[in-house]
Amino acid sequence: MIKNELTVRQICVIMCALSASLKLMICPTALAAACANGLWLPVVVNSALSSGAVFVVCLLCSRTPKGFFALLSSAFGKVAMRVAAGLFALYFVLSAVIPMTEQQTMVHEVFYDTIPSILTFLPFFLLSLYAGAKGLTNAGRTAEICLPVFAVCMLFLVVMSLSECDFANLLPVFGRPAARVMAGGASSLFRFDEGALMLIFSGKFRYRRGDAAKIAASTAAGGLIVAAVCVIFYAVYGALAPTQYFAISKIALFFPAINLIGRTDIIAVYALDMVMIFALVLRVQAASYCLRVLFDKAYMPAFSVGINAVLLTVTLLLNNKFADVQRVGGAVMCVAAAIFSYVMPLVAWLAHSVGAMRAKREGSREKI
């Protein structure tokens, strides 16, 4: 039987390293186009919102050992629980589409630009198929392996890029109109959906005092890492930043020693890309878990097969439509992320309250 237990340490790593890695592909470029030198402001604001949503879910975990779906079942019945599980499964599948197309394009542009992009990306589905057939415990263990890789690669790339930074490009700090910054934040909100993941993790770990602060702080730390990359990215490229896709692969491009020793930064980018892939696979694992709740069956690899078949079909249909996916998909997913990451935590608290009242009434009847 596949277990879905996690430790607080594993959740912290997922919220910090894995979540941050997916934001490092296109997010800096998109925000540079929307907010120019104020690109880091939406990241800070959205990270604060996401950390708040995670904190709200963690506080609920301190009140009850039940997970999100168990709370829905206790308060509103199994039908409501299964409807929510189906919707969450659909959300996680859809939330994988945009980073999946970004990953496909990045792998092609950075590593294999002479091979058709669809061929370079197909091996991803072999890993996704295997990982999707595993439980959330597997995701936690994978995250722990990814942490040192993420930390070393990010340190390596940041150190290499600092020598070419011109931080005057970021001045004036608050020179951009607030409306423009807010629009940039709204357009990137779907990338900050850690609240939805935390709902799936609820009930899957043993809560101890202070864990809410630890997990929320880890989420904020991941956001600050993304904000720091945005600052460095714009400091290096200035007004050219909106034309430079996949910022994390280009911030160290002008390191002086590269002329002598070659593109050593590519090694770090390649290793970091593996972390991004595992972060993307986490969406498949979360969707598989939701399908398990929906059908109330012992975990079956068939769930992973179905999810990956859908994603493969989407990949084939959307091949060479990167710009359309970013524009249309981003607009749709911003609304979806707002619902599943920021509204659903409040629904979870409502379910907890309703369930507690029902249990209290039933206890009173038994005494009578």
Side-chain angles (χ1 to χ4, degrees):
M1 181 178 178
I2 293 180
K3 296 181 179 179
N4 289 292
E5 296 178 356
L6 294 164
T7 66
V8 173
R9 182 181 66 254
Q10 290 171 342
I11 295 175
C12 289
V13 174
I14 289 172
M15 293 298 172
C16 180
L18 265 63
S19 294
S21 66
L22 283 185
K23 301 180 182 75
L24 295 176
M25 290 185 285
I26 292 297
C27 191
T29 303
L31 289 176
C35 307
N37 64 342
L39 74 167
W40 58 274
L41 286 170
V43 177
V44 173
V45 173
N46 287 342
S47 296
L49 292 174
S50 181
S51 300
V54 168
F55 188 74
V56 167
V57 178
C58 290
L59 279 183
L60 180 60
C61 293
S62 70
R63 302 290 182 89
T64 175
K66 291 184 177 180
F68 174 58
F69 296 120
L71 289 173
L72 290 178
S73 180
S74 299
F76 307 119
K78 289 188 176 181
V79 173
M81 175 196 72
R82 290 179 178 175
V83 170
L87 291 175
F88 265 87
L90 178 61
Y91 171 75
F92 283 119
V93 172
L94 292 177
S95 70
V97 172
I98 294 179
M100 186 177 65
T101 57
E102 292 174 353
Q103 179 65 207
Q104 177 188 352
T105 308
M106 177 177 170
V107 168
H108 176 255
E109 180 176 314
V110 178
F111 305 122
Y112 306 105
D113 59 347
T114 60
I115 304 174
S117 61
I118 191 65
L119 296 180
T120 62
F121 192 64
L122 287 179
F124 161 78
F125 293 100
L126 297 177
L127 173 63
S128 180
L129 185 65
Y130 172 78
K134 301 294 181 180
L136 296 177
T137 300
N138 176 267
R141 292 170 179 169
T142 300
E144 289 187 297
I145 296 173
C146 289
L147 177 60
V149 177
F150 178 82
V152 171
C153 292
M154 288 303 303
L155 180 62
F156 185 71
L157 291 171
V158 168
V159 169
M160 290 181 69
S161 63
L162 286 177
S163 63
E164 298 301 314
C165 287
D166 182 4
F167 292 103
N169 290 332
L170 296 163
L171 300 176
V173 175
F174 300 105
R176 293 292 159 181
R180 189 172 177 181
V181 174
M182 290 176 64
S187 66
S188 61
L189 184 66
F190 71 95
R191 301 182 188 275
F192 297 82
D193 65 344
E194 287 81 6
L197 282 173
M198 196 64 225
L199 284 173
I200 302 302
F201 297 156
S202 63
K204 301 294 178 293
F205 66 100
R206 295 182 180 179
Y207 184 91
R208 292 183 176 84
R209 186 176 181 180
D211 285 346
K214 292 177 183 177
I215 298 173
S218 299
T219 307
L224 291 177
I225 291 172
V226 178
V229 171
C230 288
V231 168
I232 292 172
F233 176 56
Y234 205 87
V236 172
Y237 287 97
L240 295 177
T243 66
Q244 304 298 316
Y245 289 91
F246 310 112
I248 195 63
S249 67
K250 296 181 179 179
I251 58 174
L253 189 60
F254 302 108
F255 183 60
I258 284 180
N259 294 328
L260 299 175
I261 59 179
R263 291 291 306 275
T264 53
D265 62 310
I266 287 294
I267 300 174
V269 174
Y270 192 88
L272 187 61
D273 189 63
M274 290 190 291
V275 179
M276 296 177 183
I277 288 175
F278 283 116
L280 181 54
V281 166
L282 176 62
R283 305 279 166 166
V284 177
Q285 293 172 312
S288 296
Y289 171 76
C290 292
L291 288 179
R292 178 185 180 184
V293 175
L294 171 61
F295 293 105
D296 194 21
K297 298 287 185 180
Y299 191 86
M300 297 185 301
F303 295 152
S304 180
V305 173
I307 292 170
N308 281 283
V310 171
L311 291 177
L312 177 58
T313 302
V314 170
T315 299
L316 295 174
L317 291 175
L318 298 180
N319 191 35
N320 297 323
K321 293 183 173 65
F322 179 76
D324 294 334
V325 172
Q326 289 290 314
R327 183 178 65 257
V328 179
V332 172
M333 291 310 300
C334 281
V335 177
I339 295 172
F340 286 91
S341 296
Y342 299 98
V343 176
M344 283 301 176
L346 302 179
V347 173
W349 271 95
L350 175 63
H352 172 62
S353 301
V354 172
M357 288 189 293
R358 289 183 63 177
K360 186 176 180 180
R361 285 198 303 266
E362 291 174 359
S364 299
R365 290 173 184 172
E366 290 178 0
K367 290 180 180 179
I368 294 174

